Amino acid sequence: MSLVEFENVRKEYIMGEVTINAVDGIDFNIEEGEFAVVVGTSGAGKTTVLNILGGMDSATSGTIRVGDKNITSLSDKELINYRRYDIGFVFQFYNLIPNLTAKENIELATQICENPMDTEKALSAVGLSERANNFPAQLSGGEQQRVSIARALAKRPKLLLCDEPTGALDYNTGRSILKLLQDTCREEKMTVVLITHNSAITPMADRIIRMKSGKVIENRVNENPKNVEEIEW
């Protein structure tokens, strides 16, 4: 059984007399331990899919299963627990708390979950042990994103959801972040879902889900995923 299953999922936004179908009856599945890339241009619906999968938004209709949970039928309190225990988020603009150090940002996440990873181990995993006591303003963009990833990893989530994690970074820093995510997926057997507008990075994925105008136009397994070092864009 797949870890993630979307069945005829729709998300509609009503603006006056206009109904916008942000997600238009999509079906796809993601297996446990896969690195899945959801790719599409702006307005394709990929961020909406990520928000629904992460429990930050709700579907208008359809069914979404994550493991043994049907998240479309969860109450508000159950959704809070789902986000708290099952989901790790990595955002494009880091979303670190500015008056907490790197270590404290991670510790904050570990205090709200079960069986968290040791904070120092999480920092070590992203190569930032020596920056533990630095505040976000004292870190580069790439280092801030690494702290964001460490914060998500420390929760030991079932699903690591990444919203354009390299969008605010330069080329070389972006490559290092993608390598970190790919290595994490392989070494920790963690399921990673990454959304991007950049089709050039899809060869690194185990599964490629391509969206256009709210629909899934391609959902395929990549039999020979490449290492990030082999990809140029």
Side-chain angles (χ1 to χ4, degrees):
M1 186 169 127
S2 301
L3 178 65
V4 175
E5 294 181 353
F6 272 55
E7 295 179 5
N8 196 27
V9 174
R10 296 178 182 276
K11 177 64 179 180
E12 297 176 349
Y13 294 100
I14 298 174
M15 304 179 69
E17 298 180 356
V18 178
T19 299
I20 299 171
N21 295 309
V23 176
D24 195 5
I26 64 171
D27 301 271
F28 67 81
N29 63 288
I30 298 170
E31 302 299 321
E32 189 169 4
E34 281 188 331
F35 192 113
V37 170
V38 182
V39 62
T41 57
S42 179
K46 56 190 187 297
T47 298
T48 303
V49 166
L50 200 76
N51 289 342
I52 293 171
L53 181 55
M56 295 193 292
D57 201 351
S58 58
T60 303
S61 62
T63 302
I64 303 156
R65 294 185 180 86
V66 178
D68 59 356
K69 294 185 177 77
N70 177 356
I71 68 169
T72 45
S73 64
L74 297 181
S75 66
D76 287 345
K77 185 174 182 179
E78 288 170 332
L79 274 174
I80 290 171
N81 287 331
Y82 168 71
R83 291 192 297 267
R84 185 174 183 175
Y85 299 122
D86 294 347
I87 302 297
F89 289 103
V90 178
F91 300 97
Q92 180 175 349
F93 296 107
Y94 328 131
N95 288 3
L96 300 177
I97 297 174
N99 60 342
L100 297 181
T101 64
K103 183 179 180 181
E104 289 167 344
N105 266 279
I106 298 167
E107 286 175 339
L108 190 64
T110 64
Q111 290 171 8
I112 63 166
C113 60
E114 298 172 334
N115 189 32
M117 184 186 295
D118 178 74
T119 302
E120 292 181 2
K121 182 180 178 183
L123 274 169
S124 177
V126 299
L128 284 180
S129 296
E130 295 180 357
R131 306 289 262 162
N133 296 316
N134 287 99
F135 292 95
Q138 298 170 318
L139 302 173
S140 69
E143 288 171 332
Q144 289 185 64
Q145 191 62 290
R146 284 176 179 269
V147 175
S148 172
I149 293 169
R151 178 180 59 188
L153 295 180
K155 293 176 63 181
R156 300 186 193 274
K158 288 182 181 176
L159 269 175
L160 183 62
L161 305 182
C162 308
D163 184 2
E164 297 270 11
T166 63
L169 303 174
D170 63 73
Y171 174 77
N172 288 325
T173 306
R175 280 172 67 94
S176 70
I177 292 298
L178 290 175
K179 176 173 169 48
L180 175 59
L181 291 170
Q182 188 179 54
D183 290 347
T184 298
C185 177
R186 291 173 175 175
E187 293 166 10
E188 302 290 335
K189 308 299 182 188
M190 189 175 291
T191 308
V192 178
V193 182
L194 181 150
I195 68 167
T196 182
H197 65 278
N198 186 1
S199 295
I201 71 172
T202 57
M204 69 179 284
D206 299 310
R207 180 179 297 274
I208 300 163
I209 299 168
R210 197 175 299 275
M211 295 190 66
K212 183 178 180 181
S213 302
K215 296 181 181 292
V216 171
I217 59 173
E218 180 183 28
N219 176 16
R220 66 179 177 87
V221 172
N222 181 10
E223 299 293 349
N224 297 294
K226 292 185 177 181
N227 294 326
V228 173
E229 297 91 335
E230 301 175 66
I231 301 171
E232 298 287 344
W233 68 88

